Amino acid sequence: MSVAEWQLIGFSLRMALASLLLVLPPGLALAWWLAKYNWRGKSIIETLVTLPLVLPPVVTGLVLLELFGRHGPIGGWLHRAFGLEVVFTWRAVVLALAAMSLPLLVRAARTAFAEVDARYEQLARTLGAGEWRIFFTITLPLARRGVVAGILLAFARSLGEFGATIMVAGNIPGQTMTLPLAIYQAVQADDEAHAWLLAGVSAIIAFTAVFASEQLQGRRA
Amino acid sequence: MNATRLIATFVRTFPGGPEIGVDNLCLGDGVTVLFGASGSGKTTILRCLAGLDRPDQGQIQFAGSAWFDGARRFSLPAPRRDVGYVPQDYALFPHLTVAGNVGYGLFALPAAEKTARVAETLDWLGLTDLGARLPHMLSGGQQQRVALARAVVRRPQLLLLDEPLAALDTPTRLHLRAELRQWLRHLAIPTVLVTHDRFEALALGDTVVVMQAGRNVQQGVVHEVFSRPVNRAVAELTAVETIQPGRLVELRDGLAVVAVGGQQLLALPGAGLSVSGEVYVCIRAEDVILTRGGPGAATASARNRLAVTVQGLQREGPQVRVNLEGAFPLTALLTQAACAELALHPGDFLIALVKTPQVHLIPW
């Protein structure tokens, strides 16, 4: 493979990783909140979180474009306050991948947290532990397989994301072009060999992630 | 039994379920047994004391400070109550070793001190060699001890034990019952112990609180409560084997004369007895002495003498339960040795002796 191809793979992996880091803290917090508490309007939050999973990715991209554009409510503020450009930069790639992988992470982690027997958390409470300590020493360790499986799924989803990315980040070689976008580009340019090579790389990465995720979930004894 | 540590009056209702609560429950030092049939609300009471369940209304005060006050909508969170809690299934953290479980609550201590405290507690309970094991590698008796170690290592103000021996097989249970008694004596932490086993209550408790249908109905020193149940339901719960309806005939020389199935018995009159009132006559199987007549029976002039026939014998561990028929059905509990000495067989004619103070009268 050429240097450009390696760079493309490296860029795609870095973007997926960055989106994972962005999504992990709020995703786990949200999953924990959904798993352990009942409150009014909970189902609305659940629906909103799941929405990117069922909406056409292009629609999610369009919403992000509107929110994070230079004249959008969030993008405008970021531009004025920090001089940050989001749309059509690598930041938009991370944002699109994060939005698209959040539902997978939250749903997997929520199930895993809910499966942790509340007796252990209650007992930790009688031993003087606060909620943070309980989360990190009891809930998260006992839910780790499910959480890691969710992380791998989210990562794999990020690597395959196309529709939202192209809407909000465009397809700028060397700046916002990820693996799926490059495959699309290659097919458009009639470079089928290149497209198949990249498709093969994508398949290997995706297979590895899903296989690892299945192994982790299956091993839960 | 001296100073009152905990005073509680509260109610916890479950949607579509029973109402569970305690009325003026007072706990002192020593071991208080919360005794009752399953479903009588014992575990709920314990969880409310631990702060894991929240009463709908009422008050819980411990050593002068409020743990729960329904009127002020105040509930001291469980982590700040400083209790040691051992649930019925122990709930050992499955991902932590024995030492990790025991040391879990010591997060505020420096590492060296924590290690020392854990080692000391493991040593005391004979768990030293098991420190590196995971809970699923332990026997039931070992799990029970680890759960106890985890609860007491923080030196809590109050220890709550929910059926600590119920999950164990019988030989282990009997062995641990004796050990648990020693441990609880040694710890000298005020303890509430939930059980439905009256022998556990007798063996482990200083005082007993009898729970019935979600209420505390009787409280006192264990053997007194067991020998003087306040009503028929408590008598059945404390498993007084013989409960017969009778009639109080007269009070004579400070003794009550009751008629049961055509036989007259002498009993100590308790409070609330009225002449010619209906009573339940309660006799515990341990209090029935069997003899074939002769010198032993002759000297027993102050006792109630009943002519009985042996109906059947049932072995119960080291004891034998003897079902008798006379003026009314009666049950005796003998050691195997005593049983062999009397050479008991079904159909034998015997004299059953019951001391006057051991005939308990419950008015109804």
Side-chain angles (χ1 to χ4, degrees):
Chain A
M1 284 194 291
S2 69
V3 174
E5 278 158 352
W6 279 114
Q7 276 176 345
L8 176 69
I9 294 165
F11 175 76
S12 294
L13 288 171
R14 277 204 308 281
M15 290 297 104
L17 212 55
S19 79
L20 198 58
L21 292 178
L22 182 68
V23 121
L24 212 46
L28 290 186
L30 191 60
W32 179 80
W33 200 30
L34 291 170
K36 299 291 174 188
Y37 294 94
N38 275 312
W39 72 95
R40 281 205 318 175
K42 174 174 164 175
S43 54
I44 291 179
I45 301 287
E46 281 177 317
T47 309
L48 279 176
V49 170
T50 310
L51 217 51
L53 210 58
V54 288
L55 270 180
V58 172
V59 175
T60 305
L62 189 64
V63 172
L64 292 175
L65 189 62
E66 198 57 40
L67 289 175
F68 286 87
R70 195 182 281 189
H71 303 290
I74 304 174
W77 174 76
L78 285 172
H79 184 70
R80 283 193 306 277
F82 306 100
L84 270 184
E85 289 286 352
V86 177
V87 166
F88 302 118
T89 69
W90 66 270
R91 298 184 188 95
V93 179
V94 173
L95 190 67
L97 302 187
M100 294 305 294
S101 57
L102 180 74
L104 287 169
L105 177 72
V106 170
R107 291 172 70 88
R110 190 188 67 166
T111 308
F113 290 155
E115 276 175 5
V116 173
D117 198 323
R119 293 174 310 144
Y120 301 127
E121 288 148 347
Q122 291 183 349
L123 205 120
R125 230 162 266 148
T126 70
L127 293 171
E131 295 305 309
W132 279 102
R133 181 178 301 279
I134 291 170
F135 178 77
F136 284 108
T137 58
I138 305 289
T139 315
L140 195 56
L142 288 177
R144 68 189 181 282
R145 291 195 201 290
V147 171
V148 171
I151 286 171
L152 288 171
L153 269 181
F155 185 71
R157 179 76 188 82
S158 288
L159 281 170
E161 216 296 311
F162 180 86
T165 313
I166 204 161
M167 280 301 280
V168 75
N171 191 1
I172 309 163
Q175 285 186 47
T176 66
M177 189 194 277
T178 59
L179 264 173
L181 300 185
I183 294 169
Y184 178 76
Q185 181 101 321
V187 174
Q188 292 284 302
D190 248 346
D191 189 354
E192 288 230 358
H194 187 56
W196 277 111
L197 176 73
L198 295 179
V201 170
S202 294
I204 288 166
I205 297 172
F207 179 86
T208 310
V210 174
F211 185 75
S213 166
E214 287 295 318
Q215 287 293 103
L216 283 168
Q217 279 181 321
R219 243 194 315 159
R220 199 181 315 164
Chain B
M1 284 178 289
N2 25 46
T4 300
R5 295 287 176 145
L6 184 137
I7 308 172
T9 298
F10 61 80
V11 176
R12 170 81 170 92
T13 24
F14 292 93
E19 188 182 272
I20 287 165
V22 286
D23 185 17
N24 202 20
L25 175 74
C26 297
L27 304 178
D29 292 336
V31 178
T32 304
V33 168
L34 214 51
F35 178 78
S38 56
S40 59
K42 306 182 298 288
T43 296
T44 302
I45 302 301
L46 214 57
R47 288 175 57 82
C48 285
L49 295 181
L52 297 177
D53 205 338
R54 198 180 164 133
D56 303 313
Q57 47 179 294
Q59 284 185 329
I60 303 174
Q61 285 220 339
F62 187 85
S65 60
W67 274 6
F68 178 78
D69 188 344
R72 288 196 292 131
R73 298 183 148 275
F74 170 78
S75 181
L76 190 69
R80 292 174 53 205
R81 292 197 186 189
D82 194 16
V83 300
Y85 177 54
V86 178
Q88 189 171 348
D89 49 19
Y90 313 140
L92 296 177
F93 304 132
H95 60 301
L96 298 180
T97 61
V98 166
N101 267 279
V102 175
Y104 185 86
L106 298 177
F107 46 80
L109 291 184
E113 196 176 331
K114 176 175 162 176
T115 312
R117 276 273 281 279
V118 169
E120 178 194 330
T121 308
L122 289 179
D123 181 48
W124 176 55
L125 290 170
L127 294 165
T128 304
D129 298 339
L130 306 177
R133 300 250 183 111
L134 286 169
H136 71 87
M137 300 157 78
L138 303 176
S139 72
Q142 290 167 339
Q143 291 186 21
Q144 198 268 350
R145 280 184 284 164
V146 174
L148 183 67
R150 181 178 60 179
V152 302
V153 74
R154 299 174 72 237
R155 295 169 192 156
Q157 304 184 71
L158 177 69
L159 192 55
L160 305 170
L161 310 175
D162 193 352
E163 300 270 11
L165 305 172
L168 306 171
D169 56 85
T170 308
T172 313
R173 187 165 64 237
L174 294 179
H175 176 68
L176 265 176
R177 193 168 78 195
E179 288 200 314
L180 187 58
R181 184 191 175 87
Q182 300 294 317
W183 293 332
L184 294 177
R185 289 271 151 78
H186 173 88
L187 285 166
I189 298 170
T191 300
V192 183
L193 186 150
V194 160
T195 185
H196 68 276
D197 181 327
R198 70 180 188 125
F199 296 109
E200 245 172 75
L202 281 163
L204 298 170
D206 297 311
T207 55
V208 64
V209 174
V210 181
M211 294 290 299
Q212 188 192 321
R215 289 285 151 181
N216 53 330
V217 289
Q218 192 175 1
Q219 175 163 8
V221 178
V222 181
H223 63 86
E224 281 178 11
V225 170
F226 276 45
S227 51
R228 302 211 172 281
V230 286
N231 60 36
R232 182 177 179 170
V234 174
E236 279 175 356
L237 204 60
T238 54
V240 175
E241 284 81 359
T242 302
I243 302 177
Q244 284 290 315
R247 195 171 45 79
L248 186 65
V249 180
E250 60 170 331
L251 294 166
R252 189 174 62 203
D253 304 333
L255 294 178
V257 181
V258 283
V260 192
Q263 171 99 28
Q264 292 212 336
L265 294 176
L266 289 174
L268 289 181
L273 280 185
S274 60
V275 174
S276 76
E278 303 287 301
V279 291
Y280 282 115
V281 177
C282 305
I283 300 170
R284 296 168 63 204
E286 292 98 318
D287 295 338
V288 177
I289 300 162
L290 293 180
T291 161
R292 289 200 175 269
T299 55
S301 54
R303 293 173 185 170
N304 293 297
R305 299 166 55 94
L306 303 159
V308 291
T309 323
V310 176
Q311 297 291 304
L313 303 162
Q314 266 173 274
R315 285 181 60 160
E316 284 182 10
Q319 291 179 309
V320 180
R321 182 174 298 268
V322 186
N323 294 318
L324 305 159
E325 189 60 59
F328 55 89
L330 189 67
T331 305
L333 203 59
L334 272 67
T335 61
Q336 294 217 20
C339 199
E341 206 172 294
L342 284 166
L344 288 186
H345 295 288
D348 286 359
F349 293 100
L350 296 170
I351 304 292
L353 303 173
V354 185
K355 288 178 184 169
T356 309
Q358 288 164 347
V359 177
H360 309 295
L361 306 179
I362 301 172
W364 55 294

